[in-house]
Amino acid sequence: MAENSNIFLESIYLIVSFNRDLMEIIGMSMYVSISALLIAASVGLPLGALLATRSFFGSKVISIFVNAFMGMPPVVAGLIIYMLLSRGGPLGLLGLLYTPSAMIIAQCILILPIIAALSRQVIEDANREYNLLFLSLRIDTFTRIKTLLIECRFSLITVLLAGFGRAIAEVGAVMIVGGNIEHSTRTMTTSIQMEISKGNLELAMALGIILLFLSLSINILMNILKTYFQNTNGVSCDE
């Protein structure tokens, strides 16, 4: 018990002293996850909105694939990207394997289906509610999608949070394509796994505390913002 208490205290010291290695790992994790989230959101939100508002040739097939890939095993995604980026792969000449860019690609592949599928559900419900109004105003598809994305922006925050949570907690795929290289591609999750195997529980505990703190802080902040904007603007599809 005393030993565990010492480990916890030492991990807290690493955090409050802004340990250089700890800050470097946290910075890399945030850079990779936020970059992946922005890229995936820029594709996933419009795709989800399009699937929710339009029925076109192949739309059902796309929806099936999007829903299916929500549960893609991370190691499978990592293996596919590894084969594409390896020297013998079609994209090997780019030299992206074992770089932060490869990890961003891996996380994008994993969270894009989540963002697209969840945003489709959110916007589909709102589209059904406003459909008669849109038809009466003869609004085109682009304007309809733009309007629904704006109207449902607070519900879509939850979608983005789900994507970010999936990205920041990823281990398998980023380990395969990133290699967990010191001072280059180490993230919080891959470092926790490695430090536990080395017996360096202090750093592993510190990283675990940071992960929990980030998760709680982001959710609390987003809930505060959502409540504030709902009270001031009153967005119907988020109620």
Side-chain angles (χ1 to χ4, degrees):
M1 188 68 179
E3 183 180 353
N4 290 335
S5 297
N6 290 335
I7 291 173
F8 179 75
L9 291 175
E10 289 179 18
S11 67
I12 294 297
Y13 175 76
L14 289 176
I15 295 172
V16 298
S17 64
F18 295 97
N19 178 267
R20 182 177 179 180
D21 291 337
L22 181 67
M23 294 300 108
E24 183 181 85
I25 294 169
I26 294 171
M28 177 55 65
S29 294
M30 296 299 293
Y31 166 70
V32 170
S33 296
I34 292 175
S35 298
L37 177 64
L38 292 176
I39 295 171
S42 65
V43 177
L45 291 178
L47 176 60
L50 181 63
L51 294 174
T53 57
R54 295 286 295 176
S55 179
F56 54 89
F57 179 76
S59 60
K60 290 185 178 180
V61 175
I62 295 174
S63 295
I64 291 172
F65 273 98
V66 166
N67 291 330
F69 282 115
M70 283 183 68
M72 176 187 289
V75 290
V76 174
L79 177 60
I80 293 173
I81 297 169
Y82 177 87
M83 294 177 66
L84 291 173
L85 299 180
S86 63
R87 288 187 178 182
L91 302 178
L93 293 176
L94 298 177
L96 296 178
L97 194 61
Y98 302 134
T99 66
S101 297
M103 296 192 294
I104 292 172
I105 294 171
Q107 290 192 3
C108 278
I109 296 299
L110 289 172
I111 67 176
L112 176 57
I114 296 174
I115 293 176
L118 295 181
S119 62
R120 181 190 66 79
Q121 184 59 55
V122 169
I123 294 173
E124 189 174 60
D125 294 339
N127 183 58
R128 192 179 299 113
E129 179 181 350
Y130 292 113
N131 188 49
L132 292 178
L133 175 62
F134 289 147
L135 290 175
S136 65
L137 296 175
R138 297 183 179 180
I139 292 177
D140 60 87
T141 301
F142 177 79
T143 304
R144 179 186 290 235
I145 290 175
K146 179 181 176 181
T147 301
L148 289 171
L149 286 172
I150 294 173
E151 286 297 308
C152 296
R153 59 192 179 277
F154 301 117
S155 288
L156 294 175
I157 288 175
T158 305
V159 173
L160 296 180
L161 280 174
F164 180 78
R166 182 71 178 84
I168 199 72
E170 174 49 36
V171 183
V174 295
M175 180 74 82
I176 293 173
V177 301
N180 199 29
I181 302 171
E182 187 175 8
H183 305 306
S184 180
T185 60
R186 284 189 180 174
T187 64
M188 286 187 280
T189 51
T190 59
S191 294
I192 288 173
Q193 186 180 52
M194 185 187 68
E195 297 302 333
I196 290 176
S197 65
K198 290 167 55 179
N200 189 4
L201 299 181
E202 295 82 5
L203 182 55
M205 176 69 76
L207 290 168
I209 292 172
I210 294 296
L211 270 175
L212 287 175
F213 176 77
L214 284 173
S215 178
L216 288 173
S217 299
I218 291 171
N219 278 278
I220 291 172
L221 176 60
M222 290 303 180
N223 281 325
I224 291 173
L225 291 174
K226 181 177 179 180
T227 301
Y228 171 77
F229 284 115
Q230 280 185 338
N231 290 337
T232 55
N233 297 328
V235 182
S236 60
C237 75
D238 296 294
E239 295 175 352

